[in-house]
């Protein structure tokens, strides 16, 4: 299973990615997690990424694309993979096409998890209290949501045009959303 997960910040991508990775026995690759690990490890990549993440902007494409290309080159992806948080703009989607073509594989589906602005803002502010993620402040959340609408929404249209977009409502409890996703992917 080669799957891309798209959804606004707070839609539950990370949570569902972990469950889907288990269901399909494939690694979940989260660009946000890789960036956060680099920030924590104070690597050069982390220092560069943090400038953008802390204000809710996208990390420059050349940095992100190179990082994903490197990850997709590892030899643990024969059974597939689940990409969480990439591609996040149309340029990255084109870049991903090139990487996959080089690897001789194709995406099976692109899953969009939907959730309204009010709901995701509430969830993110709640997560801020529980986890203290630095980009979960009200201003930065607003910016991340803007970036999502402007840059990432066109990516769903790109894959919809290709006939591989699966849209699932992300409202409801976590188990229900997982069942909904698995059913929608099964029904393709
Ligand atoms: P969320 O979807 O909740 O915003 P993520 O963990 O997916 O959280 O991403 C956190 C931040 O990491 C983003 O706001 C952005 O700065 C950076 N980031 C993650 N993925 C990408 C990407 N594909 N391109 C550019 N920046 C990214």
């Amino acid at each position: 299973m080669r799957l891309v997960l798209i959804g606004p910040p707070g839609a539950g991508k990370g949570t569902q990615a972990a469950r889907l990775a288990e269901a399909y026995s494939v690694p979940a690759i989260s660009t946000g997690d890789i960036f956060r690990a680099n920030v924590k490890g104070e690597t050069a990549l982390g220092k560069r990424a943090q400038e953008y993440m802390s204000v809710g902007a996208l990390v420059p494409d050349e940095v992100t694309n190179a990082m994903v290309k490197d990850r997709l080159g590892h030899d643990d992806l024969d059974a597939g993979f689940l990409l969480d948080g990439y591609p996040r703009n149309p340029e990255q989607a084109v870049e991903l096409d090139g990487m996959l073509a080089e690897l001789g594989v194709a995406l099976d589906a692109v899953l969009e998890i939907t959730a309204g602005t009010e709901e995701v803002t509430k969830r993110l502010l709640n997560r801020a209290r529980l986890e203290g993620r630095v980009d979960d402040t009200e201003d930065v959340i607003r910016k991340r949501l803007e970036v999502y609408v402007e840059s990432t929404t066109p990516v769903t249209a790109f894959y919809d045009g290709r006939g591989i977009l699966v849209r699932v409502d992300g409202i409801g409890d976590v188990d229900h959303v997982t069942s909904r996703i698995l059913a929608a992917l099964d029904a393709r």
Side-chain angles (χ1 to χ4, degrees):
M1 175 62 104
R2 295 185 184 83
L3 188 67
V4 161
L5 250 95
I6 297 183
K13 285 188 308 284
T15 307
Q16 298 300 336
R19 289 162 168 241
L20 296 174
E22 197 176 320
Y24 295 115
S25 303
V26 296
I29 302 172
S30 157
T31 44
D33 283 351
I34 302 175
F35 284 134
R36 276 185 291 277
N38 277 277
V39 170
K40 203 166 166 214
E42 297 178 2
T43 66
L45 174 71
K47 280 176 192 150
R48 179 107 198 263
Q50 187 165 27
E51 286 172 46
Y52 300 90
M53 296 172 77
S54 61
V55 293
L58 294 184
V59 176
D61 283 351
E62 82 264 16
V63 176
T64 309
N65 289 334
M67 186 177 88
V68 172
K69 187 168 189 198
D70 175 74
R71 180 62 187 88
L72 289 181
H74 293 197
D75 60 5
D76 60 343
L77 304 180
D78 285 348
F81 55 78
L82 207 154
L83 271 176
D84 161 16
Y86 183 93
R88 241 173 162 98
N89 62 27
E91 294 77 16
Q92 293 182 1
V94 170
E95 200 65 27
L96 177 62
D97 267 352
M99 294 179 212
L100 296 178
E102 242 176 68
L103 293 167
V105 298
L107 293 176
D108 294 299
V110 173
L111 174 71
E112 181 188 4
I113 305 180
T114 62
T117 304
E118 225 172 278
E119 170 72 16
V120 298
T121 306
K122 203 172 75 190
R123 290 186 190 176
L124 292 170
L125 289 173
N126 193 42
R127 181 170 77 185
R129 275 194 293 277
L130 301 173
E131 295 175 16
R133 231 176 84 169
V134 290
D135 60 347
D136 281 345
T137 61
E138 210 156 345
D139 279 359
V140 179
I141 289 170
R142 195 172 311 116
K143 174 69 182 167
R144 283 156 63 206
L145 286 168
E146 270 172 35
V147 169
Y148 182 76
V149 172
E150 270 168 38
S151 303
T152 313
T153 308
V155 178
T156 61
F158 174 89
Y159 289 121
D160 201 15
R162 224 179 247 188
I164 57 169
L165 184 73
V166 175
R167 207 173 257 134
V168 173
D169 182 4
I171 305 297
D173 72 49
V174 175
D175 288 341
H176 273 118
V177 176
T178 307
S179 314
R180 226 179 265 154
I181 292 172
L182 290 171
L185 288 173
D186 256 2
R188 271 176 314 132

